[in-house]
Amino acid sequence: MNLAEGVQLVSFGLLSLMTLGAALGVVLLSNIVLSAFLLGGVFISMAGLYLLLNADFVAAAQVLIYVGAINVLILFAIMLVNKRQPFSSLPNAWIRRGVTTIVCAGLFALLSTMVCATPWAISSAAPAGDSSIILIGEHFFTDFLLPFELASVLLLMALIGAVVLARREYLPEEAQSPAETVLMLPERPRETVGAGSPTE
């Protein structure tokens, strides 16, 4: 193993640990703002992994789209919603937790099976180099056109959901008589003037 391979191996280990640690923080922390920032850390770590794979365009798109757009959109949605009331306890919450545990365990088992069953053969083809952007564009508009359009629809739905969540809830104001709705400037309360004051 030469120096370059050692640096790549150490970088891969550090980026993997950063990705896993930040992902666990996103799920386990109760502060949603910290979770959103850690989600940005996950995206940046994944961009570093793409750089290790010589996919510089995908890494740049990862930083620009996921960190610069989606993560900032999530933070804006959190700040605009600004709901501070605590979560109320739901009845029969253990049933939901049990179902969630079963679904997560099933997904983890499915992904683990796919990882173990996939032949991770190293490709002997020459790297695309500067023409990788052209190849990605061709695949987007030919082979992966349907997933590409579905992703755009999903992003549009997320944008609409953020707008709905950020919408303020206006409470109806109490009915006031027309005489009370006259525009008045706030007035400072006057101090009581004594009988022996120097102004008199």
Side-chain angles (χ1 to χ4, degrees):
M1 178 183 297
N2 53 18
L3 180 61
E5 292 178 353
V7 171
Q8 288 183 356
L9 185 61
V10 171
S11 301
F12 176 75
L14 290 177
L15 289 172
S16 301
L17 289 177
M18 287 175 57
T19 304
L20 292 176
L24 289 175
V26 171
V27 178
L28 298 178
L29 287 181
S30 59
N31 192 336
I32 192 170
V33 178
L34 293 179
S35 297
F37 278 110
L38 287 176
L39 184 62
V42 173
F43 292 151
I44 292 175
S45 302
M46 291 179 65
L49 292 175
Y50 289 141
L51 283 179
L52 288 179
L53 294 173
N54 293 324
D56 49 353
F57 174 74
V58 181
Q62 173 83 11
V63 173
L64 290 176
I65 296 174
Y66 285 91
V67 181
I70 295 179
N71 201 15
V72 173
L73 178 64
I74 292 173
L75 287 173
F76 269 103
I78 292 171
M79 289 186 292
L80 290 174
V81 170
N82 196 21
K83 291 185 176 179
R84 297 181 179 179
Q85 64 267 26
F87 292 103
S88 58
S89 59
L90 299 174
N92 298 325
W94 62 273
I95 298 178
R96 296 178 175 85
R97 292 175 183 173
V99 173
T100 304
T101 303
I102 292 173
V103 171
C104 292
L107 289 175
F108 182 75
L110 178 62
L111 292 176
S112 300
T113 304
M114 290 180 61
V115 168
C116 295
T118 302
W120 298 103
I122 299 176
S123 177
S124 59
D130 296 335
S131 61
S132 60
I133 300 175
I134 300 174
L135 291 176
I136 290 173
E138 289 178 357
H139 284 296
F140 269 155
F141 289 100
T142 54
D143 302 332
F144 300 98
L145 180 61
L146 181 60
F148 182 66
E149 294 298 330
L150 289 177
S152 64
V153 173
L154 181 62
L155 290 176
L156 179 62
M157 293 170 61
L159 178 62
I160 294 174
V163 172
V164 171
L165 288 175
R167 189 178 59 184
R168 297 289 183 183
E169 296 178 358
Y170 292 101
L171 298 176
E173 297 180 356
E174 296 181 355
Q176 296 180 352
S177 61
E180 296 177 347
T181 57
V182 176
L183 296 178
M184 298 178 61
L185 294 175
E187 185 178 1
R188 179 183 297 177
R190 295 179 180 177
E191 297 178 356
T192 305
V193 179
S197 63
T199 56
E200 292 181 352

